[in-house]
């Protein structure tokens, strides 16, 4: 008896994934819940476990193929290695046509690759007829439309969104200069992962869509550092987690968002959607790229709750265990480039959010305090915001409130 292994549900709005790695090959014995393969989506890596104990008799979707939700990945035969030995040669021969050279792109969401000579290049997806008609009527080039349909199909709503966007001069990509023979031998070409492709697309879309502007300030970290040093041991003993700087910044941002709610809002067509809650995104770097896990209802959390949630999300991010649900629904984001030594930067918005705070390196600098030059631990802060919804006054007020709360944390207790 054979059991099918299919692509699991990948998360809200995610319809396809790429088969990244097979941990087993046809003929291998597998145990219940043993990992068979990894699927790479736009945001996370999904592990596919074995539903039964038996033998992997056939791999249907090879590494590098794009597969849709519920697509067939493999077949598992119940029984031991003896029954697998007979089926292994057939499985290998069946799976062979699915294999393709590393530089041949997958055809799309069907999870299959045709090996005919005419299919050495991927076929262009057929756009929705209504989209084709609208593009023809409006004279819109297909390359100017961001496709959201299955397999890269352009849908009518994609064309409408393109029409609603302000016209901009199309950037001209400079052609890559040919490498000399000796240089080509020292180059390595690696296909971008789906995560890196998505990061690149979302960041560029954010620049193209939002009227992004950044305002800066600096904060004296003396009060926060003194408070942290005074209570860190007691905090760790009582709550079982270290007291870091992120909980102070999260609380300060929540405090400022309550006063300047447009920074916690988003644009939906011609509407502004104000959020009466704070889902705080905390940007985290991982070996595979930048991810932004979200602390849901962070405005209802204590310092200890925030630190525990950040520690848990950070661990999941490092281990590649974040789910789609962990990274959805954010209303505001904090990015800490200071951990890498950044002294100043302009963070890019995480759409559809309207604000992101950039933290930076704490550095001792001479400051004029009450007519005296003293050395203080200073940090530059940067708030990037969508000027379509947030005015300069609101952005500056937000950053000043964050600065005030950090320089005098007692203000957070009294909501000042």
């Amino acid at each position: 008896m054979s059991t099918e292994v299919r692509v699991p549900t990948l998360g809200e709005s995610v319809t396809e994934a790429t088969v990244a790695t097979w941990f087993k090959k046809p003929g291998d014995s597998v145990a219940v819940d043993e990992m068979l393969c990894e699927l790479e989506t736009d945001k996370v890596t999904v592990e596919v476990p074995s539903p039964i104990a038996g033998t992997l008799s056939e791999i249907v979707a090879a590494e590098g193929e794009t597969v849709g939700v519920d697509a067939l990945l493999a077949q598992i035969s119940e029984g031991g290695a003896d029954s697998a030995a007979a089926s292994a040669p057939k499985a290998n021969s069946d799976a062979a046509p699915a294999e393709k050279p590393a530089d041949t792109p997958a055809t799309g969401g069907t999870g299959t690759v045709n090996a005919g000579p005419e299919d050495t290049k991927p076929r262009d997806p057929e756009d929705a007829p209504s989209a084709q008609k609208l593009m023809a009527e409006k004279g819109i080039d297909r390359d100017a439309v961001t496709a959201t349909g299955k397999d890269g199909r352009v849908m009518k709503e994609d064309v409408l969104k393109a029409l609603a966007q302000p016209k901009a001069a199309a950037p001209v990509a400079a052609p890559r200069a040919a490498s000399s023979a000796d240089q080509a031998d020292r180059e390595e070409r690696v296909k971008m992962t789906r995560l890196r492709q998505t990061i690149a697309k979302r960041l560029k879309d954010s620049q193209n869509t939002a009227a992004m502007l950044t305002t800066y300030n600096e904060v004296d970290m003396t009060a926060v550092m003194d408070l942290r040093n005074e209570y860190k041991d007691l905090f760790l003993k009582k709550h079982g987690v270290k007291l870091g700087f992120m909980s102070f910044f999260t609380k300060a941002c929540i405090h400022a968002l309550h006063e300047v709610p447009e920074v916690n809002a988003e644009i939906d067509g011609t509407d502004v959607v104000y959020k009466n809650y704070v889902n705080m995104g905390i940007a985290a770097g991982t070996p595979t790229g930048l991810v932004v896990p979200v602390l849901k209802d962070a405005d209802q959390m204590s310092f200890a709750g925030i630190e525990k949630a950040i520690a848990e999300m950070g661990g999941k991010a490092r281990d590649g265990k974040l789910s789609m649900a962990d990274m959805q629904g954010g209303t505001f984001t904090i990015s800490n480039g200071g951990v890498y030594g950044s002294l100043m930067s302009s963070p890019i918005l995480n759409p559809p959010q309207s604000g992101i705070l950039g933290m930076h390196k704490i550095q001792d600098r001479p400051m004029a305090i009450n007519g005296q030059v003293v050395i203080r631990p200073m940090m530059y802060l940067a708030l990037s915001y969508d000027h379509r919804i947030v005015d300069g006054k609101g952005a500056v007020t937000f950053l000043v409130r964050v600065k005030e709360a950090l320089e005098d944390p007692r203000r957070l207790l009294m909501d000042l």
Side-chain angles (χ1 to χ4, degrees), residues 102 151 373:
D151 299 336
V373 177

Side-chain angles (χ1 to χ4, degrees), residues 25 37 45 49 56 58 73 76 86 141 152 203 215 240 256 285 297 326 356-357 360 377 384 411:
K25 61 182 182 297
C37 66
T45 298
L56 183 62
E58 181 183 6
L73 291 171
I76 296 179
D141 186 79
L203 291 179
T215 185
D297 293 318
D326 291 330
I356 178 172
L357 180 78
H360 299 92
S384 291
R411 298 175 70 97

Side-chain angles (χ1 to χ4, degrees), residues 174-185 187 189:
R176 182 181 184 273
S179 301
S180 61
D182 62 323
Q183 291 176 331
D185 292 340
E187 294 179 348
R189 183 180 293 268

Side-chain angles (χ1 to χ4, degrees), residues 18 63-65 98-106 120 189-192:
T18 300
E63 291 183 4
E65 286 192 20
E99 297 293 338
K100 60 183 182 298
D103 59 352
T104 303
T120 55
R189 183 180 293 268
V190 179
K191 185 176 178 59
M192 292 174 68

Side-chain angles (χ1 to χ4, degrees), residues 150-363:
K150 186 177 181 181
D151 299 336
R153 296 182 69 199
V154 173
M155 310 303 290
K156 183 178 180 180
E157 52 266 32
D158 300 332
V159 183
L160 293 174
K161 287 182 180 179
L163 288 170
Q165 291 179 354
K167 300 292 183 182
V172 179
R176 182 181 184 273
S179 301
S180 61
D182 62 323
Q183 291 176 331
D185 292 340
R186 292 179 292 165
E187 294 179 348
E188 180 183 8
R189 183 180 293 268
V190 179
K191 185 176 178 59
M192 292 174 68
T193 63
R194 290 179 64 90
L195 175 59
R196 177 53 59 187
Q197 293 179 49
T198 301
I199 291 172
K201 183 178 184 301
R202 284 178 60 85
L203 291 179
K204 191 56 187 171
D205 286 348
S206 177
Q207 288 184 319
N208 293 341
T209 302
M212 194 156 51
L213 190 63
T214 305
T215 185
Y216 302 92
N217 212 317
E218 60 182 351
V219 57
D220 184 345
M221 294 293 291
T222 301
V224 169
M225 294 175 71
D226 288 347
L227 192 62
R228 179 173 177 264
N229 288 333
E230 182 176 355
Y231 291 107
K232 64 180 182 180
D233 293 336
L234 185 61
F235 190 90
L236 176 62
K237 181 179 179 180
K238 180 173 182 179
H239 300 294
V241 64
K242 292 182 179 180
L243 177 60
F245 291 121
M246 287 304 300
S247 54
F248 287 96
F249 277 87
T250 301
K251 282 288 189 181
C253 286
I254 292 170
H255 170 73
L257 289 172
H258 287 157
E259 182 168 342
V260 192
E262 58 267 32
V263 183
N264 197 49
E266 67 180 60
I267 293 177
D268 183 15
T270 57
D271 297 332
V272 177
V273 182
Y274 291 93
K275 310 297 179 69
N276 296 320
Y277 55 90
V278 178
N279 288 345
M280 188 67 70
I282 307 293
T286 72
T288 57
L290 181 73
V291 294
V292 187
V294 176
L295 309 187
K296 303 290 177 30
D297 293 318
D299 51 325
Q300 305 299 317
M301 292 182 178
S302 64
F303 273 79
I306 292 172
E307 292 292 354
K308 289 177 181 178
I310 290 175
E312 179 185 357
M313 289 293 190
K316 292 172 72 174
R318 288 189 297 271
D319 298 337
K321 303 294 185 184
L322 285 173
S323 67
M324 291 299 298
D326 291 330
M327 295 184 286
Q328 291 176 335
T331 62
F332 184 83
T333 296
I334 300 176
S335 179
N336 185 7
V339 296
Y340 305 111
S342 171
L343 185 62
M344 174 73 79
S345 67
S346 300
I348 298 178
L349 288 172
N350 185 20
Q353 297 172 24
S354 297
I356 178 172
L357 180 78
M359 299 167 53
H360 299 92
K361 178 183 177 181
I362 300 174
Q363 189 174 58

